[in-house]
Amino acid sequence: MAKKLFFSGIQPTGELHIGNYLGAIQRWVKLVDSGEYEGIMCVVDYHAMTVPYEQATLKQRSLEAATMLMACGISADKALLFIQSYVPQHTELAWVLNCSCMIGELSRMTQFKDKSKDKGESVAVGLFTYPVLMAADILLYKAAYVPVGEDQIQHLELAREIVRRFNSRFGETFPEPQPLIGEAKRIMGLDGESKMSKSMGNTIALSESPESIWKKLAPAKTDERRKKRSDPGVPTDCNVYMSYHRYFSPAEDLAYVDKGCRSAGIGCLECKKLLAKNMEKELGPIRKRYEDLRQHPQKVEAYLNESAEKCRAIAEATMHEVRSKIGVR
Ligand code: TYM
């Protein structure tokens, strides 16, 4: 049976964090390893230009993001991994799709509203049309599935709308891409108040040392009921349990902290120490592979170049069809 194709992307903005990992990257690896899916993954450097950025470090950050994805388990024998700007058809298709997308639709995007808040008209047009480039990323490969976190659902709904409009005007061309949303769809930051995000400064990076992670975890907010060591708590009201323990700890440890928290048999620090140990079990090997791969940048670059070459061939075939349908060549 033919494999199902998924596409997903990640921005090279700052270091990748455990929200990216649990919400997206870990699932990409699982989908590829399941043998049911073919995967194309992309570090979206052109998207990273939509907000103020350092041109001197963008390329390096893209390479670091790709290196981290490889450290997490994406590899040349299993999937394609490339950097968006290596395949110029992405921006070409984005232009075409810009003409099938309405200003009203883009104005309703909550990420655009958040990022452009208080900026008046001093917002790059690229930030406004960001979701159209995202639609182009997916549609160039005619991918049917897009594994992402919850924050990208609205962008995918727009991509589907763009597909319907394009197909009805120019003939059946693209499938409507479906989001694949997992349980860890919205990992909260250490503050427990907003989504984990680099811009909020509430992240745990995938490359962080256990000591640095502990410095952040130890003071992290837990269930408010646990003011004193002897006050019992409710794990489902605790961000540390709901956002991290639940995903990093095995069932027996979850049962132990659930009981210990509800009976005040254990304190929050003991609970967090167990979490830190379990996080290290998962993140330690990733960090080690990341450090090893950083010593061999040519390995990373060879994989990215090889994938980009294959992607350019697929993308060019799609653009050939698109150019002919829209009447330009
Ligand atoms: P980005 O770079 O913000 O995030 C990459 C992936 O991580 C997920 N994510 C989270 N999941 C759960 N909890 C969190 N706190 C959390 N923070 C981030 C995101 O949902 C995403 O899946 N626009 C995209 C990149 C993109 C893309 C695409 C994605 C460009 N083209 C085509 C899919 C298909 C973005 O900015 O993701």
Side-chain angles (χ1 to χ4, degrees):
M1 209 179 70
K3 289 190 183 185
K4 301 182 248 183
L5 177 64
F6 80 79
F7 180 96
S8 205
I10 194 155
Q11 292 205 58
T13 33
E15 291 172 288
L16 304 190
H17 53 73
I18 62 169
N20 297 132
Y21 180 68
L22 297 171
I25 305 166
Q26 191 186 40
R27 300 191 48 247
W28 301 351
V29 176
K30 283 188 184 152
L31 292 176
V32 170
D33 286 347
S34 75
E36 265 183 68
Y37 289 84
E38 252 177 87
I40 305 183
M41 281 140 284
C42 179
V43 176
V44 294
D45 50 354
Y46 277 140
H47 277 105
M49 287 183 64
T50 57
V51 289
Y53 78 102
E54 285 288 335
Q55 61 266 42
T57 56
L58 178 58
K59 192 168 171 198
Q60 187 53 32
R61 281 190 286 124
S62 295
L63 291 173
E64 281 168 6
T67 307
M68 184 52 91
L69 293 177
M70 288 175 72
C72 290
I74 306 295
S75 62
D77 53 328
K78 295 188 203 159
L80 297 175
L81 170 67
F82 70 106
I83 296 178
Q84 189 183 35
S85 62
Y86 291 25
V87 182
Q89 288 86 348
H90 285 249
T91 43
E92 185 181 1
L93 182 59
W95 176 259
V96 173
L97 300 179
N98 268 329
C99 302
S100 283
C101 184
M102 304 297 132
I103 285 182
E105 289 167 332
L106 290 173
S107 310
R108 285 192 284 278
M109 295 293 115
T110 52
Q111 278 205 351
F112 172 72
K113 287 198 241 177
D114 287 348
K115 288 191 179 167
S116 61
K117 207 162 56 191
D118 309 324
K119 298 212 169 73
E121 294 197 340
S122 299
V123 173
V125 173
L127 186 66
F128 189 58
T129 62
Y130 175 114
V132 182
L133 179 57
M134 185 168 155
D137 295 340
I138 303 161
L139 300 181
L140 261 187
Y141 306 97
K142 303 194 180 188
Y145 300 96
V146 189
V148 281
E150 188 181 63
D151 57 350
Q152 300 301 318
I153 291 181
Q154 197 189 26
H155 290 159
L156 282 177
E157 277 164 9
L158 177 67
R160 286 203 296 280
E161 184 55 40
I162 292 175
V163 166
R164 286 191 285 272
R165 196 168 293 136
F166 186 96
N167 286 352
S168 94
R169 168 130 193 238
F170 300 109
E172 202 59 29
T173 310
F174 301 115
E176 284 185 35
Q178 305 299 323
L180 292 179
I181 306 285
E183 229 191 299
K185 56 183 185 258
R186 189 167 191 265
I187 297 296
M188 300 296 282
L190 284 158
D191 52 7
E193 274 155 29
S194 44
K195 188 189 75 170
M196 184 172 284
S197 147
K198 186 77 189 170
S199 60
M200 300 299 293
N202 61 7
T203 62
I204 294 177
L206 283 173
S207 58
E208 233 168 296
S209 68
E211 296 74 31
S212 164
I213 293 180
W214 181 249
K215 267 196 201 139
K216 292 178 173 181
L217 263 188
K221 222 165 111 181
T222 58
D223 178 13
E224 286 174 352
R225 294 178 186 86
R226 302 214 69 181
K227 291 198 174 56
K228 295 195 303 295
R229 167 70 179 75
S230 54
D231 294 332
V234 178
T236 45
D237 289 337
C238 171
N239 183 45
V240 169
Y241 182 89
M242 292 303 282
S243 295
Y244 317 130
H245 249 312
R246 213 151 58 104
Y247 301 110
F248 285 107
S249 298
E252 65 269 24
D253 287 356
L254 290 180
Y256 172 77
V257 296
D258 183 275
K259 191 160 169 242
C261 177
R262 290 178 195 276
S263 61
I266 62 168
C268 291
L269 268 185
E270 190 186 332
C271 172
K272 287 171 174 174
K273 275 188 188 143
L274 190 55
L275 168 63
K277 194 181 93 192
N278 289 329
M279 283 177 74
E280 180 55 16
K281 259 192 212 151
E282 175 122 8
L283 302 181
I286 293 178
R287 204 174 53 245
K288 164 96 182 45
R289 282 195 295 272
Y290 180 66
E291 288 311 329
D292 288 349
L293 278 165
R294 271 159 63 96
Q295 304 307 313
H296 301 98
Q298 70 285 1
K299 241 194 214 172
V300 178
E301 281 170 37
Y303 178 22
L304 293 174
N305 286 332
E306 202 181 295
S307 293
E309 198 177 322
K310 292 183 182 150
C311 287
R312 276 193 297 269
I314 307 171
E316 184 50 26
T318 303
M319 281 317 297
H320 188 74
E321 179 187 357
V322 166
R323 291 182 205 114
S324 145
K325 283 184 169 165
I326 62 173
V328 294
R329 275 204 233 162

